[in-house]
Amino acid sequence: MSLADLTTAHPFDAITEADLRQAGSVKWTRFPDTIGTFIAEMDFGVAPAISDAVSDALRAGFTGYLPQPTARALQQAVADWYAAKHGWAVPADDVRLVADVIAAYEFAITTYTEPGAAVIVPTPAYMPFLDVPLRHGRRVIEVPSLEVDGRWTMDLDAVAAAFADGGELLVLCNPHNPLGTVATRDELLALAETVSDAGGRVFADEIHAPLVYAPARHIPYASVSDAAAEHTLTATSASKAWNLAGFKCAQLILSNDETRAAWDADGGWAGHGTATVGVIAQLAAYTSGAEWLAEVTEYLDGSRALLAELVAEHLPGVRVTVPEGTYIALLDFRGTSLWAELGADADLGTWFRENAKVSMTDGALCGQAAIGCTRFVFATPRPIIREAVLRIAEALTR
């Protein structure tokens, strides 16, 4: 797809910076004079089916604690979605509701690791994956990803070494944030063998699974083999694909007796904080939001191509990882004169916020492997993407 193919106006293109600031999300108000690309949420509103479901609930006064029939309806909807979209037959009883994926991550840490053990985090990584284990008395082993023919993958030899060094739990983010890699079946099978040989466990974050671009295809890690199912806890949510990050609802998928027993022993406390309105919204997403999601995914597919072409045209020396899934890209500034001048201790997030008026996540927050990079969320109208790249280009030129 070329820039010429993206000239036809789309309704999303009419959304302005002023509109987004008026809406008031943290993405557009924390640094109010900048373009916000630092938080993984979309700027396209929500599906009409979700708006209708939430509005109907409010009109009906359905604002109390979560009733079991509604919870069970979402459990079944998630099971149906995974069966239809990913070919994984999950019993609805094995879907449990939690407030967010970080709550799921904490449950995995306390279930699968002992105090003082290590959590293995392939990097670059979603920032809390590096921070949360420390809050639970665990250490973190970073495993830098490998780039092969322009595509980033996990270093399995380094993963095996990390397990040997005291690692007990591996974080698998698939589709990957921020690299955008969507793992193939062969890659997942090879990982499952490595983890099984080490006697390790896996926390599989699949929150971006609905946002994958052809020809890539999301394959749930726990579905690839019995061994993978036995050592995995899977987390997912409609929050990224349907823009519901503030609605406090996600799902755990249990695929082995160890995690079922841990959930029961915990009395389901890990699910505390799941919001009734979040369950209502996600139920509408999974059951009635497919058409809206298809439109958004098509738009994002064009936007990732646009971003790559704009970087190639206006940002010499900058490399961009074009994602196979997600709406997050990594911009690599290590080939620029700016990086040569600033050095490895520079905070590129702050530099571009101050000098380009574009707010991005500094790569160092994603692990040592991303030092010299920034994380750029392109789930925003294409005119804003273009303006952001032009501001970055002007700052680099100055």
Side-chain angles (χ1 to χ4, degrees):
M1 188 176 293
S2 68
L3 287 172
D5 298 321
L6 300 172
T7 56
T8 303
H10 187 283
F12 291 158
D13 293 342
I15 301 170
T16 67
E17 289 185 51
D19 295 331
L20 296 169
R21 293 189 210 287
Q22 180 65 31
S25 76
V26 67
K27 182 180 180 183
W28 287 94
T29 58
R30 177 177 293 176
F31 307 112
D33 60 340
T34 72
I35 290 176
T37 71
F38 67 103
I39 287 182
E41 60 188 39
M42 294 194 285
D43 294 328
F44 311 133
V46 296
I50 295 173
S51 295
D52 290 346
V54 172
S55 296
D56 289 347
L58 293 176
R59 279 193 294 268
F62 189 14
T63 57
Y65 294 113
L66 178 65
Q68 278 304 304
T70 306
R72 283 195 294 270
L74 180 56
Q75 291 172 281
Q76 187 63 57
V78 173
D80 292 345
W81 179 271
Y82 262 79
K85 300 297 183 181
H86 307 307
W88 187 22
V90 176
D93 255 2
D94 277 343
V95 178
R96 309 298 168 90
L97 308 185
V98 293
D100 51 40
V101 167
I102 294 305
Y105 184 34
E106 292 178 310
F107 179 71
I109 290 171
T110 56
T111 297
Y112 279 151
T113 70
E114 296 293 331
V119 176
I120 304 166
V121 182
T123 56
Y126 173 51
M127 298 76 73
F129 288 155
L130 296 165
D131 299 334
V132 171
L134 307 180
R135 296 176 177 272
H136 291 271
R138 276 67 170 176
R139 59 193 177 94
V140 170
I141 300 176
E142 294 187 27
V143 174
S145 299
L146 297 174
E147 185 181 10
V148 180
D149 297 328
R151 183 173 181 275
W152 291 91
T153 59
M154 199 178 297
D155 184 342
L156 295 186
D157 290 338
V159 168
F163 274 119
D165 187 33
E168 295 183 356
L169 176 68
L170 170 73
V171 176
L172 170 64
C173 187
N174 179 44
H176 192 276
N177 170 9
L179 295 174
T181 303
V182 178
T184 66
R185 182 174 296 277
D186 286 346
E187 288 170 338
L188 295 174
L189 285 168
L191 174 61
E193 183 177 352
T194 300
V195 175
S196 293
D197 287 347
R201 300 288 187 271
V202 170
F203 173 70
D205 169 15
E206 301 186 357
I207 196 171
H208 289 279
L211 290 170
V212 171
Y213 312 108
R217 183 170 68 90
H218 176 72
I219 300 169
Y221 173 68
S223 74
V224 300
S225 68
D226 290 342
E230 282 300 312
H231 62 229
T232 300
L233 179 67
T234 302
T236 191
S237 177
S239 60
K240 297 302 181 186
W242 283 276
N243 205 29
L244 300 170
F247 275 58
K248 303 310 290 181
C249 181
Q251 298 85 46
L252 280 176
I253 300 178
L254 312 180
S255 55
N256 53 71
D257 287 340
E258 182 179 4
T259 49
R260 295 183 190 105
W263 180 275
D264 292 341
D266 190 48
W269 181 252
H272 179 72
T274 304
T276 300
V277 68
V279 172
I280 293 166
Q282 297 218 4
L283 180 58
Y286 283 120
T287 58
S288 305
E291 184 177 347
W292 186 87
L293 175 64
E295 179 186 1
V296 168
T297 303
E298 182 180 12
Y299 186 82
L300 291 171
D301 192 4
S303 295
R304 67 179 182 141
L306 173 65
L307 177 62
E309 295 214 17
L310 288 171
V311 169
E313 180 179 353
H314 297 287
L315 304 180
V318 178
R319 298 178 61 209
V320 59
T321 300
V322 181
E324 300 167 339
T326 82
Y327 44 66
I328 301 164
L330 201 68
L331 303 182
D332 185 345
F333 292 90
R334 289 173 290 189
T336 65
S337 57
L338 172 72
W339 184 244
E341 179 181 337
L342 295 180
D345 293 332
D347 180 342
L348 291 183
T350 299
W351 194 90
F352 282 110
R353 188 168 66 248
E354 293 177 350
N355 293 277
K357 300 302 180 184
V358 177
S359 296
M360 300 180 282
T361 303
D362 183 56
L365 298 175
C366 301
Q368 292 202 359
I371 291 175
C373 304
T374 61
R375 195 183 77 145
F376 185 100
V377 175
F378 60 87
T380 198
R382 290 173 187 162
I384 295 178
I385 295 174
R386 184 177 284 105
E387 174 64 18
V389 172
L390 293 178
R391 290 188 190 183
I392 292 169
E394 183 181 359
L396 288 173
T397 300
R398 287 201 307 269

